[in-house]
Amino acid sequence: MKLMRARVLLGGSLLAVAGAVAGTLLAASPASAGASQTVMVDCRGNGQVRPAGFVLACADGNAYLNHLHWANWGSEAFSSGVFVANTCKPSCVQGHFVSYPVLAVAWRPQAWPKHAGRTFFTQLTLVFTGRRPGNTPVSPTYPLSALGGA
């Protein structure tokens, strides 16, 4: 019971912090209409602005984000959505996909090689707002590649 109460308090605290940060950034850094926007590079190497979905496991597609709703897209980007993972039970080929609610933060933009004047997000942090897969931490960070995915 104490563990459950601690998880609820921790989850509520993380949501409050994420909301406060997103609200501050929304007020502090509105996107300029003429500015080149930072992208997330997908598995094909294409830059995406505010993608509705994003594959994290490009090799096999066994982990991805879906139903992304971006609240901010600037030097950081904030979204709510769903993390979908294959349990690989009974096998990865015959696996079972399970969805988990998340907040997503794309951050640390850097120059996008071979795309003059463009930047891409190099980090993606997820905050699980409910249950999460197996031994996954509450807020894992994934490095993003200029070549695509995590």
Side-chain angles (χ1 to χ4, degrees), residues 16 24 60 143:
T24 299
D60 57 15

Side-chain angles (χ1 to χ4, degrees), residues 108-120:
R108 193 180 288 158
Q110 290 184 354
W112 189 13
K114 300 181 183 178
H115 294 82
R118 302 289 310 266
T119 56
F120 76 103

Side-chain angles (χ1 to χ4, degrees), residues 10 13 17 19 23 35 37 50 52 61-62 67 72 74 82 84 103 120 125 134 140 144 150:
L10 176 62
S13 297
V17 169
Q37 293 184 314
R50 296 180 184 261
N62 279 333
H67 304 293
N72 183 58
V82 178
V84 182
L103 298 175
F120 76 103
T125 299
L144 300 178

Side-chain angles (χ1 to χ4, degrees), residues 13-101:
S13 297
L14 288 171
L15 285 173
V17 169
V21 170
T24 299
L25 287 170
L26 281 170
S29 59
S32 168
S36 176
Q37 293 184 314
T38 302
V39 299
M40 291 177 70
V41 181
D42 68 16
C43 291
R44 294 184 189 120
N46 299 316
Q48 299 180 32
V49 175
R50 296 180 184 261
F54 189 78
V55 176
L56 294 169
C58 287
D60 57 15
N62 279 333
Y64 60 92
L65 296 170
N66 206 0
H67 304 293
L68 295 173
H69 300 282
W70 298 96
N72 183 58
W73 193 275
S75 58
E76 292 89 14
F78 297 90
S79 178
S80 62
V82 178
F83 174 82
V84 182
N86 188 348
T87 64
C88 291
K89 293 179 183 175
S91 72
C92 289
V93 173
Q94 297 174 324
H96 174 70
F97 285 86
V98 180
S99 298
Y100 306 89

